[in-house]
Amino acid sequence: EEETMPKDISYYLSQGFDERCAQYFASGRRTPQSVRPQKNFTHLLRFDNGETRVFDMKPLIKPGTVFSFLSSYEAFSRVYLDSAHAVCWDKDPNVNSDVVWENKVDICPDTCYLDSLPAKESSYV
């Protein structure tokens, strides 16, 4: 029988998590259900709890980083969710990232939730 992780904040704090992350993990991880790119290089993400949040990619799209190719809106707008619900892009859209794994860059679902802000429901189109 597998042991399950405790779900209380004190456990996560004892593991070195900050208060915000401890609260998130203790209350249950969230999974993106849809992602929509916005012209201002943000994404609208709808999560499994019905919440819609805005994730700002601009701080990540810097020269010399894995995300630098997303400075083109054409590339940025090719965003999708993979089978693990990570927010993903294929560097080359003509290459199958399930076969050539280094073609894909992604952001994990936990980061998408923790580093995003609540959106007004009316802004989710």
Side-chain angles (χ1 to χ4, degrees):
E1 186 176 308
E2 279 190 37
E3 185 181 324
T4 58
M5 274 184 34
K7 293 283 185 187
D8 65 348
I9 293 173
S10 61
Y11 170 79
Y12 293 104
L13 291 172
S14 76
Q15 298 301 303
F17 287 68
D18 65 24
E19 184 74 30
R20 183 176 67 103
C21 289
Q23 179 67 43
Y24 167 76
F25 283 100
S27 66
R29 298 168 76 182
R30 297 289 165 220
T31 305
Q33 301 298 299
S34 66
V35 58
R36 296 195 185 198
Q38 303 299 296
K39 295 280 185 197
N40 64 353
F41 289 85
T42 64
H43 290 117
L44 285 175
L45 295 160
R46 184 175 299 272
F47 287 86
D48 57 348
N49 64 350
E51 200 176 348
T52 301
R53 298 177 67 89
V54 177
F55 186 86
D56 187 357
M57 283 294 297
K58 291 184 292 293
L60 300 176
I61 303 172
K62 303 284 186 208
T65 69
V66 296
F67 297 111
S68 63
F69 76 100
L70 298 176
S71 62
S72 147
Y73 186 75
E74 179 191 351
F76 178 79
S77 66
R78 290 194 311 257
V79 66
Y80 64 95
L81 296 176
D82 69 6
S83 60
H85 297 273
V87 172
C88 303
W89 297 264
D90 295 329
K91 294 178 197 172
D92 181 340
N94 302 309
V95 173
N96 182 344
S97 289
D98 290 332
V99 176
V100 183
W101 65 268
E102 62 271 351
N103 186 56
K104 180 168 82 172
V105 296
D106 62 22
I107 301 173
C108 81
D110 297 325
T111 297
C112 288
Y113 190 87
L114 285 165
D115 292 349
S116 62
L117 298 171
K120 292 180 182 170
E121 190 63 31
S122 61
S123 67
Y124 191 79
V125 247

